[in-house]
Amino acid sequence: MFRFVSALTALSLVATPVLAQKAPKDTGEAQFRALYKELVETNTTFSAGDCTLAAQRMADRLKAAGFADSQLTVFAPDGRPKDGGLVAVLPGKDPKAKAILLLAHIDVVEAKREDWERDPFKLVEENGYFYARGASDDKAQASIWTDLIIRFKREGYTPRRTVKVALTCGEEGGGHVNGARWLAQNKRDLIDAAFALNEGAGGNLDDKGNRIAHTIQAGEKSSFSFKIEATNPGGHSSRPVPDNAIYELAKAIGRVQAYEFPVQMNDTTRAFFTRMAPIVGGEQGAAMTAIVANPNDKAARAVLSRDANNNAILGTTCIPTMIQGGHAQNALPQRATVTVNCRIFPGETPAQVRDTLAKVVGDAKVTVGSNVAIDRVDPKAAPPLTPAVVGPIEKVSQAMWPGVPVVPVLQAGGTDAPALIAVGIPTYGVSGLFYDPDLGRLHGLNERIGVSSLMEAREFSYRLVKIYAEQKD
């Protein structure tokens, strides 16, 4: 045995110099890091930033990689020179094959230097993480998409399908014009595609760094706010009467609090609960299985509702977020108003939710309305999870992270996907980015993403898009 091991050792020593002569494949990681750093360090907040500048810098990198001017469109909405973005096109071989669109937003939420441990607009690599505002949301994905087509170009790779990248501003809602919606309404042909890939999903890590699941976003709830308002003639506070606008509003709020919208299911949430049940296990897992079998199972709902994440996707939710009332401390209130923000399940309309709230309030003295033209809102159902979309994600995920399940999710928050879905471009969230339980501190202090997570997501996206790019319709 000793001589056998010694012989293997000797053989390996002989072979090592030969193997060492093979240099590892250069995937362009250094260039990717430089691109990522430049994008992250270009301030794109509403207060002090410039999305158009960030878009132009990415266009410059694409042009240096060999893209023609005709393949790069830097745009800005009229009158908003800093709210711009970029659409880049890598033409495919088959003019009849519909394109793939890779979407990411480049604006970020505000960040105050005095609150952060590090300068939020300087990319810092520390303890295995990248720290900066936008290090994750969403400049990680924007950098991956931009780098991806640069890699394709440098390799001399011509895909069967055209691959498009759209970097847009305004997703965070801080005051910018929403670029994805602007493109959908004004440059629909420029972004036309069979489907789009976007943010909105990723991988989940436990507190020990173990991978739990890799998710695909298919659909999201829409956000719509209502005003519930009570009015009254008022009067002097020294002469109180039972009929009081604040009392009436308080009773209305109590009724909204007590009401639960019915459980709703679609293909995405059924798949989510079905696949997560064995992973979660225990009482929660059993409740997931039960709610899929019977959405009217009150006991299962009660268990799932204890977890805010599960509760958020069981159906429409409405919650008071702002309140105001009265006009003087010595006067009876003439008006009292509460803003109720609803996250509406895909396929349900704001008008239906308004009618439900009016019935729940059940008081002729209290109105339920909105500052938005409610009948103009046309919510779309979640895009279908077809084998052509899901299959490649599962294939690449299992190759990179064997045994980690791929789980569809309905996003309770918001992304730019609805703007594209509204004009007939099915949009899915998938990234390959795995997040700690703190979700990368998105929108919070000291935002971060794991260095290894970012590099793996870059490789995941590269492999995935190559599969899609060669698919036949």
Side-chain angles (χ1 to χ4, degrees):
M1 175 65 75
F2 176 79
R3 280 183 288 181
F4 180 69
V5 172
S6 298
L8 286 176
T9 303
L11 181 61
S12 66
L13 289 173
V14 171
T16 298
V18 177
L19 294 174
Q21 292 175 6
K22 290 187 177 181
K25 182 180 179 182
D26 181 10
T27 65
E29 183 177 319
Q31 294 93 324
F32 170 68
R33 284 173 171 260
L35 183 156
Y36 175 59
K37 177 179 174 66
E38 181 176 43
L39 185 56
V40 168
E41 293 188 351
T42 303
N43 190 325
T44 52
T45 60
F46 178 69
S47 64
D50 191 334
C51 286
T52 309
L53 175 61
Q56 185 61 59
R57 287 175 172 173
M58 294 301 100
D60 291 343
R61 286 184 174 271
L62 288 163
K63 189 171 181 179
F67 281 80
D69 289 340
S70 60
Q71 297 167 339
L72 304 172
T73 302
V74 177
F75 65 91
D78 291 344
R80 304 298 291 267
K82 294 185 178 182
D83 293 5
L86 167 70
V87 177
V89 179
L90 179 64
K93 292 181 289 191
D94 186 350
K96 295 181 180 179
K98 294 203 73 172
I100 303 161
L101 177 64
L102 310 177
L103 175 69
H105 70 86
I106 53 176
D107 61 312
V108 296
V109 298
E110 303 290 339
K112 294 182 178 180
R113 174 65 187 94
E114 60 268 26
D115 296 335
W116 283 55
E117 294 178 21
R118 309 160 192 82
D119 186 335
F121 299 104
K122 294 293 182 183
L123 186 67
V124 175
E125 183 177 349
E126 188 177 294
N127 300 323
Y129 289 93
F130 285 120
Y131 291 87
R133 173 60 83 221
S136 176
D137 185 16
D138 186 30
K139 290 181 177 179
Q141 193 66 68
S143 298
I144 286 171
W145 292 149
T146 307
D147 167 78
L148 185 151
I149 58 171
I150 288 175
R151 287 177 73 181
F152 286 176
K153 192 73 170 179
R154 287 178 173 162
E155 291 173 356
Y157 169 63
T158 302
R160 177 178 174 270
R161 294 174 180 264
T162 293
V163 178
K164 301 179 180 181
V165 171
L167 307 181
T168 61
C169 198
E171 191 273 347
E172 298 294 3
H176 293 113
V177 172
N178 184 283
R181 188 178 302 114
W182 187 89
L183 284 171
Q185 294 174 351
N186 296 279
K187 299 287 184 180
R188 172 67 175 76
D189 290 346
L190 184 61
I191 59 170
D192 186 43
F195 61 90
L197 304 182
N198 185 34
E199 63 166 340
N204 306 122
L205 301 172
D206 64 18
D207 56 6
K208 295 180 181 178
N210 300 311
R211 295 182 182 86
I212 300 171
H214 187 204
T215 60
I216 313 170
Q217 179 192 338
E220 61 186 58
K221 299 172 80 175
S222 57
S223 176
F224 202 93
S225 291
F226 298 92
K227 285 178 60 178
I228 299 179
E229 187 171 73
T231 56
N232 190 278
H236 200 287
S237 63
S238 65
R239 301 176 62 201
V241 294
D243 188 13
N244 184 296
I246 291 177
Y247 290 160
E248 297 299 332
L249 184 67
K251 287 185 285 187
I253 292 172
R255 294 185 187 114
V256 172
Q257 178 187 15
Y259 180 75
E260 281 188 330
F261 282 81
V263 170
Q264 297 183 67
M265 286 279 176
N266 60 17
D267 290 345
T268 303
T269 54
R270 287 190 195 93
F272 172 79
F273 286 125
T274 298
R275 296 190 185 187
M276 287 301 295
I279 298 170
V280 174
E283 186 181 31
Q284 283 274 337
M288 289 176 174
T289 300
I291 207 76
V292 171
N294 178 14
N296 296 318
D297 189 323
K298 293 182 179 180
R301 177 176 190 161
V303 172
L304 293 174
S305 295
R306 296 175 200 158
D307 183 294
N309 292 320
N310 290 331
N311 184 60
I313 61 172
L314 287 172
T316 295
T317 58
C318 290
I319 188 76
T321 55
M322 299 172 65
I323 191 167
Q324 59 186 41
H327 58 284
Q329 65 176 358
N330 58 352
L332 298 177
Q334 296 171 354
R335 190 179 305 274
T337 305
V338 62
T339 297
V340 174
N341 181 252
C342 297
R343 299 296 172 132
I344 302 174
F345 200 83
E348 189 172 17
T349 68
Q352 290 171 317
V353 175
R354 176 201 57 197
D355 292 346
T356 297
L357 288 174
K359 290 178 182 178
V360 168
V361 169
D363 188 339
K365 302 173 187 175
V366 180
T367 61
V368 179
S370 172
N371 292 329
V372 179
I374 193 168
D375 294 328
R376 295 183 182 178
V377 178
D378 182 22
K380 300 295 182 181
L385 286 166
T386 65
V389 171
V390 178
I393 296 171
E394 292 179 330
K395 179 179 179 179
V396 180
S397 292
Q398 289 308 305
M400 293 187 65
W401 308 295
V404 176
V406 173
V407 180
V409 293
L410 175 72
Q411 179 61 258
T415 73
D416 279 329
L420 272 61
I421 294 172
V423 294
I425 303 175
T427 303
Y428 304 89
V430 61
S431 69
L433 289 164
F434 277 78
Y435 293 94
D436 293 322
D438 65 4
L439 295 179
R441 304 169 182 171
L442 305 182
H443 292 199
L445 295 177
N446 308 309
E447 181 180 340
R448 67 183 189 177
I449 189 69
V451 175
S452 61
S453 176
L454 180 64
M455 298 309 164
E456 287 186 355
R458 175 179 180 250
E459 180 63 21
F460 168 83
S461 296
Y462 172 80
R463 296 187 196 181
L464 178 66
V465 174
K466 268 203 169 179
I467 294 175
Y468 286 141
E470 296 302 323
Q471 273 184 340
K472 293 186 178 180
D473 295 331

